[in-house]
Amino acid sequence: MQEEARPDAALVGLENVPHTGEAIGADGLLVEPQAEDFRSAKLVPRERDWFKGAVFYEVLVRAFSDSNGDGTGDLRGLASRLDYLEWLGVDCLWLPPFYASPLRDGGYDISDFRAVLPEFGSVEDFVYLLDEAHRRGIRVITDLVLNHTSDAHPWFQQSRIDPDGPYGDYYVWSDDDQRYADARIIFVDTESSNWTYDPVRGQFYWHRFFSHQPDLNFENPHVQEAMLDTLRFWLDLGIDGFRLDAVPYLFEAEGTNCENLPRTHDFLKRCRKVVDDEYPGRVLLAEANQWPSDVVEYFGNAEVGGDECHMAFHFPLMPRIFMAVRRESRFPISEILAQTPQIPDGCQWGIFLRNHDELTLEMVTDEERDYMYAEYAKDPRMKANIGIRRRLAPLLENDRNQQELFTAMLLSLPGSPVLYYGDEIGMGDKIGMGDNIWLGDRDAVRTPMQWTPDRNAGFSSCDPGRIYLPVIMDPVYGYQALNVEAQLNNQSSLLHWTRRMIEVRKQHHAFAEGDFTDLGGSNPSVLAYRRRWLRPDGHEDVVLCVNNLSRFPQPVELDLSEHHSSRPVELTGGVVFPTVGDLPYLLTLPGHGFYWFQLVEAGDDSEPR
Amino acid sequence: MDVTEPHDLVDKVMAELPEWLPAQRWFGGKDRPVTSIRPLRAVVLRSEEPVLVHLVVEVAQPDRQEPYQLLITDHVDNYDATQVPELTGALLDLIAEGAEVDGLRFAHEPDVELQTGLRGRPITSEQSNTSIVFGSQYILKLFRKLTYGDNPDLVLHRALRQVGCEHIAQPLGSITGRLDGHTTTVGMLQQFMPDAVDGWAMATTSVRDLMAEADLHADEVGGDFAGEAQRLGQAVASVHADLERALGTQSANAENIERTVRAMVSRLDAVVASVPELRPYVPALREAFEQAKETPDAVAVQHIHGDLHLGQVLRTVQGWLLIDFEGEPGSPIAERVELRSPLRDVAGMLRSFDYAAHQLLVGQPEDHQLTVRALEWSRRNRAAFTEGYAEAASESVGDPRKRGYLLRAFELDKAVYEVAYEHANRPEWLTVPLSSIARITGEGAVQS
């Protein structure tokens, strides 16, 4: 029977490329592609803490650029746009999964960890992308799902047909569906149990997500080794790191909710050790959609500067920024930052305004959910800001001042900013009239990047009927008016503005690693904070950020007594503001206006920079 | 300046005080001339340059004599040492040491350790006292007009600290002197909240947002305040519950209530004599006050805030705090420390919501749309506040809505007081309390 069923039978489109399960060795193990089979990319010169100051850019391979005219973006297409990303100031690309996949969960259902989804290209194309990016000083990270695989993965196919073979124990099998009853069901809309019966093996298998995504059995040391080897495969090719998806769920234990278990952390420490010992300078970013005080667990031991993930997303900050501007009150932001614990020295938050997926309310604590519901309860425009997929520009009613204010906060609050592709030109989304905005449409924010006013927005040369999603064509956000080419030619465009702000951010390391102090102030509509960084030369780099969350002009008096006699120098224009004196420092801001200043100490005659 | 001897300084200041004192914002006797000023007590806190002297003077005015506290120096032209950072820092150091100088006692609260060597910075916005902020940690309130005995602000803060109240700025120290044989509080050191915004600024931000919307209602706009108002109600109720726990509660008898109502009626009579605009509402007001006697069961009385409004609450990142437990500065101390119904504080806050809602309309041409919006905002946030209060109220106080008559009477009494105040000080604002009185008397009490 084993001879009849090919383990790679469920893989699609990989016939002519190396893939897992092409053959079975004498020991019963599947033959898998090895890094040595491919060329490796040249690395960016090593720099330990590069991620702490990096500007990340999330780009969907499918949506960015199509090199072969088949209507779908691909790795070669993305590589051809790297000059643009370099010009913009991007330091690191974050690519959602581009692995072989049946695409029943946006590519997070991986059917072969060592092959590229054919429509995106090949492993060789990925190495080409890496080389081209690294040549420009741009790093690349991607998502890796540790917790589960697609049911099409040859490991699962082997596991179900050969319980006693080497893969028999790769997944969590059980004779009944009663174990781990305390684990919640994440996708309550589509799944009724965390167990699904497999008629082939005659047992139930465990899955925290969709039933077509069986959980790997991390109790099995071979699974742990196999996943570490998966990391090594891509790291050997030259990748700069991973966003580890769904990390809280790796292990199960009876009587627990099967989340954040100590053994899960133990495994992450193993992953980190592999990186530190064998691939220093590469990063691990945890996807743990949880409260900051819980997420810090994924940085690991603070005494050694962190020994699990280097980075984690700060999820609640994003909806709080929207709430603060709607409320014209800084408290939603000040509160969440006050509740954010210190993180280990070697770590950094990732912060974002938008990404391909949003905060879902079931992921936050009951208290926060009540708070959010109470705050968002009646306002349809506020509801639209959380839990659904919309782009920044339409959320802000295409208001340029607000887009600038939000981006200025993203680039100056503590954490490495993650831009979402297209938001730098203010792209729109595809929310059909009458859609249920709560369920949302995942594709709404995944439309093709708008490069030019030409056919298919310059994204692809294909017949418009073949494009994976139609380009946006409405009068406001349509590609004829809104595209990279047009904005490149206009010095006052959002694109040029964004590039300039990124440039300014990079001139002051205080934005990256400076400590953060909320300056408070008597005006609730003004959020003012200080970032302070001790430069290696012993001088302090002090940056002052003042944001008017209100649509109306506002005054604010700030207590800058610690910086008596300093000169505030505005960072975009270099204008020197009045020296800080005995009185509280008075500033006035236009509606949704903001300032970035460097505070230059009296006697420091060095050029403000 | 070459004044070096402290007593020379005192003489010099005394000579200038008749001019200087009435010009100070915190001077409470601006309504009548100053007849004479005499020094009661001078304590030299620093005898070398710059000299620092703590001086208490008695200000005589027609029909009253009141003691005031001054801190003087030869270092600045106007002698006011509270404005000199180098000198005020010394006060903090003395409190940290627990020093006693010539009968002036500086003390920190038990188990409090203070950081010293901080510069003092005066706060400019204050009305009747003078406060100095040290670093971003502490605030020292110097009471200007002194009342004999322990200041209720300090007494209540201490009591609240003892029961672990979370909705106050923690008291950290005090300065007390002897005045006419009484130990008298002259200063109180508290935790400073650098991130705080007062409730009035928070509420008016929300009102501003609503008024700028042409088409949206109070419950639809982004600047909705109801969530904050509800949490504020919870905070006030929880402070009341803590005061009850710390200092006890009593049951008011019929005679107490009778006396309370009598006071309301006599205030009404006094005010209507000078404000004819109030006349049409007198019968309805009297009836509402009389109805306050019809309470279904015993009314709890206890220590309360006494002068609660949106300007006496602070929003911090940890939530809402109540400040200034001094009571109404205008009323005599005996009345201020009297046990009263917590519903007075609730009523004070409800009035404040009404003011916040209408403040943008004052002095503007009549605009029906904005008036409706203001009313909407007021109703929504008053309801949310009361709801929050009911959620956290102690058993003895209970849901304020179940004592609709009493609550309404307190609110109307407060509004009558406002009528007198606005008539005397801000005639344009008179419409705010008057229209509230018209509305409340027209609507009847909330009874559930």
Side-chain angles (χ1 to χ4, degrees):
Chain A
M1 168 168 176
Q2 263 162 275
E3 286 76 16
E4 291 162 20
R6 283 183 16 253
D8 59 353
L11 297 183
V12 179
L14 299 179
E15 296 77 18
N16 300 317
V17 296
H19 60 269
T20 296
E22 293 176 72
I24 303 184
D27 48 6
L29 291 175
L30 300 174
V31 172
E32 306 201 10
Q34 301 299 311
E36 305 88 82
D37 304 343
F38 306 93
R39 196 173 57 78
S40 290
K42 197 165 179 290
L43 298 177
V44 179
R46 192 194 299 172
E47 192 193 333
R48 199 186 51 150
D49 287 339
W50 64 269
F51 60 92
K52 289 189 186 172
V55 173
F56 289 75
Y57 187 89
E58 185 192 0
V59 56
L60 309 183
V61 174
R62 181 181 301 280
F64 212 55
S65 197
D66 172 15
S67 71
N68 60 1
D70 66 353
T72 292
D74 45 47
L75 293 167
R76 291 253 165 196
L78 172 55
S80 74
R81 302 293 187 176
L82 286 167
D83 283 343
Y84 165 77
L85 296 170
E86 182 188 11
W87 171 85
L88 181 59
V90 168
D91 299 304
C92 183
L93 302 181
W94 160 28
L95 312 183
F98 51 78
Y99 312 94
S101 165
L103 300 181
R104 296 177 67 190
D105 181 24
Y108 287 86
D109 49 333
I110 299 168
S111 54
D112 186 348
F113 290 112
R114 298 177 185 228
V116 167
L117 185 69
E119 58 202 82
F120 288 173
S122 61
V123 172
E124 286 85 351
D125 292 335
F126 181 71
V127 173
Y128 171 77
L129 169 70
L130 277 181
D131 257 330
E132 289 297 306
H134 288 174
R135 207 157 59 76
R136 294 167 173 83
I138 297 176
R139 291 177 166 86
V140 181
I141 65 169
T142 189
D143 283 24
L144 181 65
V145 185
L146 295 176
N147 181 64
H148 50 257
T149 70
S150 160
D151 58 6
H153 198 290
W155 292 349
F156 185 72
Q157 295 302 320
Q158 287 299 96
S159 193
R160 65 199 300 205
I161 60 172
D162 187 7
D164 299 321
Y167 298 93
D169 197 25
Y170 256 49
Y171 295 84
V172 184
W173 295 99
S174 175
D175 289 330
D176 62 49
D177 57 0
Q178 300 305 307
R179 292 163 66 201
Y180 314 132
D182 297 332
R184 71 198 166 97
I185 295 163
I186 294 169
F187 293 139
V188 282
D189 291 339
T190 52
E191 302 298 330
S192 54
S193 165
N194 286 323
W195 292 102
T196 291
Y197 184 73
D198 178 45
V200 176
R201 176 152 160 163
Q203 278 186 305
F204 292 90
Y205 61 89
W206 175 252
H207 56 86
R208 288 311 300 274
F209 293 85
F210 295 111
S211 58
H212 57 79
Q213 288 167 332
D215 274 31
L216 285 162
N217 177 21
F218 275 83
E219 301 286 347
N220 179 349
H222 296 299
V223 168
Q224 295 197 19
E225 288 303 327
M227 292 313 291
L228 291 174
D229 284 342
T230 302
L231 294 175
R232 288 190 183 98
F233 175 81
W234 294 101
L235 290 165
D236 281 335
L237 294 178
I239 202 162
D240 297 286
F242 297 98
R243 172 180 174 272
L244 299 177
D245 197 70
V247 289
Y249 310 101
L250 303 187
F251 282 83
E252 294 77 38
E254 206 58 70
T256 73
N257 64 0
C258 300
E259 294 175 21
N260 311 313
L261 297 183
R263 303 193 55 204
T264 293
H265 288 285
D266 292 343
F267 180 70
L268 289 173
K269 286 186 169 68
R270 284 193 71 192
C271 294
R272 175 62 178 265
K273 194 156 167 24
V274 166
V275 170
D276 284 350
D277 292 352
E278 303 169 35
Y279 309 95
R282 323 287 182 94
V283 301
L284 300 176
L285 194 165
E287 191 247 11
N289 194 342
Q290 292 172 328
W291 215 232
S293 51
D294 298 324
V295 171
V296 286
E297 299 292 314
Y298 288 94
F299 292 126
N301 184 357
E303 279 168 27
V304 296
D307 57 1
E308 293 184 29
C309 291
H310 302 79
M311 293 183 71
F313 281 132
H314 195 304
F315 277 96
L317 180 61
M318 176 274 291
R320 294 293 192 120
I321 292 175
F322 283 89
M323 191 194 287
V325 174
R326 287 293 287 141
R327 286 265 178 277
E328 305 198 2
S329 162
R330 65 183 148 84
F331 283 100
I333 298 173
S334 293
E335 276 174 349
I336 197 66
L337 291 173
Q339 288 172 31
T340 301
Q342 280 289 323
I343 60 176
D345 293 345
C347 300
Q348 179 65 297
W349 291 111
I351 60 175
F352 58 92
L353 297 171
R354 297 279 94 190
N355 67 33
H356 70 280
D357 232 355
E358 295 301 348
L359 176 74
T360 47
L361 285 180
E362 67 263 29
M363 295 288 193
V364 303
T365 62
D366 288 349
E367 199 183 338
E368 176 69 358
R369 190 162 55 242
D370 290 347
Y371 181 81
M372 301 277 264
Y373 275 134
E375 292 296 318
Y376 281 70
K378 294 279 164 49
D379 181 354
R381 283 185 291 178
M382 288 185 74
K383 268 186 192 167
N385 294 338
I386 50 165
I388 64 125
R389 287 104 185 166
R390 297 217 63 183
R391 275 191 177 271
L392 187 63
L395 274 178
L396 302 179
E397 292 163 333
N398 210 25
D399 178 317
R400 171 77 180 264
N401 289 336
Q402 285 192 66
Q403 287 177 71
E404 291 187 1
L405 173 67
F406 274 68
T407 305
M409 288 197 275
L410 175 72
L411 294 176
S412 61
L413 284 166
S416 291
V418 182
L419 304 171
Y420 186 57
Y421 86 94
D423 282 351
E424 73 273 21
I425 55 170
M427 260 173 68
D429 54 37
K430 184 176 75 70
I431 293 283
M433 298 298 287
D435 280 1
N436 180 338
I437 59 168
W438 283 100
L439 290 177
D441 172 359
R442 280 195 165 201
D443 287 337
V445 297
R446 298 174 182 191
T447 58
M449 180 70 177
Q450 296 170 192
W451 295 102
T452 67
D454 305 332
R455 176 158 115 157
N456 299 329
F459 160 79
S460 170
S461 60
C462 71
D463 182 303
R466 289 190 63 200
I467 200 161
Y468 77 97
L469 272 181
V471 291
I472 290 175
M473 282 192 289
D474 70 51
V476 176
Y477 299 107
Y479 67 95
Q480 293 93 338
L482 198 159
N483 59 67
V484 170
E485 185 181 280
Q487 294 203 11
L488 278 173
N489 291 331
N490 175 0
Q491 285 296 322
S492 64
S493 64
L494 183 65
L495 178 61
H496 274 283
W497 180 88
T498 306
R499 174 176 183 256
R500 172 80 185 118
M501 296 308 286
I502 292 174
E503 192 180 14
V504 171
R505 183 185 195 273
K506 290 183 175 179
Q507 288 163 354
H508 290 276
H509 200 66
F511 286 116
E513 289 195 71
D515 62 21
F516 171 89
T517 307
D518 190 331
L519 294 177
S522 56
N523 187 332
S525 297
V526 176
L527 173 70
Y529 45 88
R530 181 184 64 202
R531 307 291 312 274
R532 179 155 57 180
W533 164 250
L534 188 62
R535 296 203 302 244
D537 65 6
H539 278 92
E540 278 194 338
D541 184 16
V542 182
V543 167
L544 170 68
C545 306
V546 190
N547 305 283
N548 178 7
L549 308 175
S550 161
R551 56 189 140 159
F552 305 110
Q554 299 286 336
V556 66
E557 286 188 340
L558 296 173
D559 175 12
L560 297 181
S561 48
E562 257 188 78
H563 301 280
H564 195 278
S565 310
S566 287
R567 287 173 295 143
V569 179
E570 200 281 327
L571 287 179
T572 62
V575 173
V576 181
F577 273 52
T579 300
V580 179
D582 290 324
L583 298 175
Y585 199 75
L586 171 70
L587 286 168
T588 55
L589 297 105
H592 292 139
F594 74 93
Y595 295 123
W596 285 0
F597 295 108
Q598 181 187 8
L599 293 179
V600 183
E601 270 178 54
D604 181 355
D605 291 329
S606 61
E607 274 297 293
R609 43 157 310 192
Chain B
M1 279 189 296
D2 52 9
V3 184
T4 45
E5 285 302 309
H7 64 262
D8 289 345
L9 174 65
V10 172
D11 289 347
K12 211 165 161 134
V13 168
M14 287 309 300
E16 295 198 22
L17 271 187
E19 288 278 315
W20 186 81
L21 194 64
Q24 302 308 305
R25 177 144 73 159
W26 43 261
F27 179 60
K30 295 199 183 82
D31 55 338
R32 17 193 135 159
V34 172
T35 335
S36 68
I37 304 178
R38 68 180 180 103
L40 289 181
R41 202 181 173 90
V43 176
V44 180
L45 296 176
R46 191 187 150 97
S47 51
E48 64 270 30
E49 292 274 332
V51 170
L52 177 62
V53 178
H54 183 264
L55 177 65
V56 178
V57 297
E58 187 181 69
V59 181
Q61 292 185 285
D63 298 326
R64 67 174 173 235
Q65 290 184 331
E66 285 164 334
Y68 280 86
Q69 168 177 219
L70 306 173
L71 268 179
I72 56 172
T73 180
D74 58 345
H75 192 65
V76 285
D77 287 339
N78 70 358
Y79 307 112
D80 186 357
T82 63
Q83 307 300 308
V84 185
E86 295 77 25
L87 289 171
T88 46
L91 299 174
L92 177 63
D93 297 353
L94 290 166
I95 293 173
E97 282 166 33
E100 171 152 6
V101 187
D102 212 0
L104 202 56
R105 215 152 51 78
F106 298 83
H108 53 81
E109 296 299 298
D111 310 321
V112 165
E113 233 177 86
L114 296 173
Q115 187 190 337
T116 55
L118 299 172
R119 282 165 63 94
R121 162 172 68 84
I123 282 210
T124 48
S125 58
E126 211 159 357
Q127 297 291 333
S128 50
N129 294 308
T130 296
S131 288
I132 298 159
V133 170
F134 298 101
S136 57
Q137 293 102 306
Y138 313 126
I139 181 165
L140 174 66
K141 186 199 281 188
L142 295 169
F143 299 105
R144 287 299 192 169
K145 188 167 87 182
L146 298 176
T147 39
Y148 298 115
D150 290 335
N151 189 291
D153 202 8
L154 180 63
V155 174
L156 295 190
H157 268 102
R158 277 185 175 151
L160 286 167
R161 176 172 183 247
Q162 283 205 332
V163 294
C165 180
E166 288 175 354
H167 298 283
I168 54 167
Q170 298 301 324
L172 303 172
S174 61
I175 310 174
T176 45
R178 299 287 298 174
L179 203 60
D180 221 12
H182 299 86
T183 308
T184 295
T185 315
V186 302
M188 176 167 74
L189 186 75
Q190 275 177 287
Q191 184 189 9
F192 180 62
M193 301 289 166
D195 64 345
V197 173
D198 74 55
W200 179 257
M202 293 288 291
T204 50
T205 296
S206 165
V207 174
R208 179 186 73 205
D209 182 63
L210 173 64
M211 296 294 178
E213 287 289 350
D215 55 336
L216 291 178
H217 293 279
D219 59 351
E220 295 171 330
V221 289
D224 183 23
F225 193 66
E228 293 286 3
Q230 181 165 1
R231 288 189 287 273
L232 178 56
Q234 291 167 352
V236 172
S238 131
V239 168
H240 282 159
D242 286 338
L243 281 171
E244 180 187 329
R245 243 173 352 122
L247 301 168
T249 180
Q250 287 177 16
S251 211
N253 55 31
E255 193 190 323
N256 298 140
I257 296 171
E258 176 71 41
R259 199 174 58 228
T260 301
V261 169
R262 221 163 35 229
M264 290 175 177
V265 172
S266 63
R267 184 191 324 247
L268 173 62
D269 292 343
V271 173
V272 80
S274 55
V275 190
E277 291 92 330
L278 191 57
R279 212 166 289 148
Y281 309 108
V282 168
L285 283 166
R286 279 178 178 280
E287 192 193 335
F289 292 151
E290 289 303 322
Q291 275 175 330
K293 294 178 189 167
E294 297 168 25
T295 54
D297 39 42
V299 176
V301 290
Q302 60 166 81
H303 284 279
I304 63 170
H305 182 282
D307 184 28
L308 196 60
H309 54 82
L310 284 164
Q312 304 277 40
V313 292
L314 297 180
R315 174 69 156 96
T316 74
V317 289
Q318 280 88 32
W320 286 100
L321 306 184
L322 276 60
I323 56 169
D324 285 344
F325 286 75
E326 265 194 281
E328 248 174 66
S331 43
I333 189 80
E335 195 174 297
R336 285 199 252 162
V337 297
E338 192 182 22
L339 300 185
R340 282 171 296 173
S341 163
L343 295 188
R344 271 193 197 271
D345 282 348
V346 174
M349 200 57 101
L350 294 180
R351 290 298 311 131
S352 198
F353 278 115
D354 226 25
Y355 259 79
H358 290 94
Q359 46 95 27
L360 282 178
L361 307 181
V362 171
Q364 300 298 315
E366 172 80 25
D367 181 324
H368 178 68
Q369 167 88 355
L370 292 186
T371 308
V372 169
R373 288 281 178 268
L375 205 55
E376 235 176 53
W377 189 93
S378 177
R379 276 187 213 285
R380 175 167 174 78
N381 289 288
R382 287 160 55 100
F385 173 83
T386 315
E387 172 74 33
Y389 188 95
E391 282 164 17
S394 75
E395 212 171 298
S396 73
V397 180
D399 186 339
R401 292 165 297 196
K402 295 201 169 137
R403 298 189 179 281
Y405 285 140
L406 189 58
L407 183 61
R408 182 181 64 166
F410 282 137
E411 212 193 324
L412 287 170
D413 180 47
K414 183 91 189 167
V416 169
Y417 164 83
E418 290 160 4
V419 166
Y421 178 87
E422 303 298 12
H423 179 75
N425 298 294
R426 305 187 298 183
E428 276 198 322
W429 288 70
L430 191 56
T431 56
V432 176
L434 277 179
S435 61
S436 301
I437 289 173
R439 196 177 66 248
I440 300 169
T441 52
E443 280 171 357
V446 184
Q447 283 288 18
S448 57

